[in-house]
Amino acid sequence: MQQRRTKDQTTPQTRRADAQRNFDRIVRAALEALKEDGPAVPLDEIARRAGVGVATVYRRFVDRDGVIKAAFETYFAEEIEPAVLAARAAEDPRRGLAEALTVAVETLPAHRSLLAAARESGAFTVEIAERFMGPLGEVLTAAQQRGLVRGDLITRDLAAIVVMTLATAHEGDRGCDDPRRYLALLLDGTRPSP
């Protein structure tokens, strides 16, 4: 007689793999649902899209804020961090800064609902900001040492540039033309004075 494997007989590796698969499915479902349904998408809709029960979501994330935080961190790791790493590796640090800021300005408006939900849930954390601005601060210092940007710029100014540029984003501008234009104007202001 074949013995059935009960939940208690699964190996720790199997449980970890299942938990990771559920985590990934829930995060992907949250990103999709936020994009399609807006920042107020209910947790049961995220669970439905992930193909799991709401209890699984609560077990893994505790609450909706936990899901939003994980979705925001995933978005950040996949779309923003590669630009930051590329900026650090760029031969021309000014160009590296400009390209990293451009990526942020172009990708963030496409995720308005995620950003709104992240603000509401407290997913914007010091750690996230440091992951972006810390390495860009290193690039800024390198650009200053080479005389490529103003010497009085500080890392916080880069965040302000992104925020000011994103303020020009609007629904009717699907190509992000306005934010790109204003980013170019602001970046011109970072050049050293004669």
Side-chain angles (χ1 to χ4, degrees):
M1 182 169 160
Q2 187 177 10
Q3 189 176 18
R4 286 180 24 172
R5 180 179 259 189
T6 65
K7 197 170 196 171
D8 294 329
Q9 293 174 322
T10 59
T11 65
Q13 293 85 1
T14 303
R15 285 193 299 270
R16 280 193 295 272
D18 287 345
Q20 187 60 48
R21 270 192 302 278
N22 283 341
F23 178 91
D24 293 342
R25 288 169 48 192
I26 293 164
V27 167
R28 295 284 163 216
L31 288 167
E32 178 186 310
L34 285 161
K35 197 169 198 174
E36 292 176 12
D37 298 341
V41 64
L43 200 54
D44 60 342
E45 175 58 18
I46 293 170
R48 184 192 68 73
R49 286 175 184 244
V52 299
V54 175
T56 299
V57 177
Y58 279 111
R59 238 186 339 273
R60 186 64 183 93
F61 296 96
V62 180
D63 59 16
R64 185 176 183 279
D65 288 351
V67 174
I68 299 302
K69 183 176 186 216
F72 182 69
E73 287 177 356
T74 297
Y75 154 77
F76 186 86
E78 292 177 355
E79 296 197 35
I80 301 296
E81 276 190 315
V84 173
L85 296 176
R88 287 173 74 181
E91 270 187 50
D92 177 345
R94 178 181 171 72
R95 181 176 295 242
L97 275 176
E99 289 174 359
L101 295 175
T102 299
V103 167
V105 164
E106 288 179 350
T107 185
L108 287 166
H111 297 277
R112 282 183 179 91
S113 294
L114 173 61
L115 294 175
R119 272 192 299 276
E120 184 181 301
S121 71
F124 284 122
T125 62
V126 172
E127 293 82 19
I128 289 284
E130 286 175 350
R131 276 171 49 192
F132 183 61
M133 289 302 158
L136 284 186
E138 296 170 21
V139 180
L140 174 62
T141 299
Q144 287 170 324
Q145 289 170 347
R146 290 176 54 185
L148 300 172
V149 298
R150 296 169 52 139
D152 63 340
L153 285 174
I154 59 174
T155 305
R156 186 168 182 247
D157 295 333
L158 301 176
I161 287 170
V162 171
V163 170
M164 287 187 284
T165 303
L166 288 174
T168 68
H170 55 89
E171 288 289 332
D173 184 13
R174 293 290 177 192
C176 260
D177 293 329
D178 283 347
R180 267 197 222 110
R181 179 174 177 269
Y182 286 102
L183 178 61
L185 291 170
L186 290 168
L187 288 175
D188 280 346
T190 68
R191 292 186 190 282
S193 301

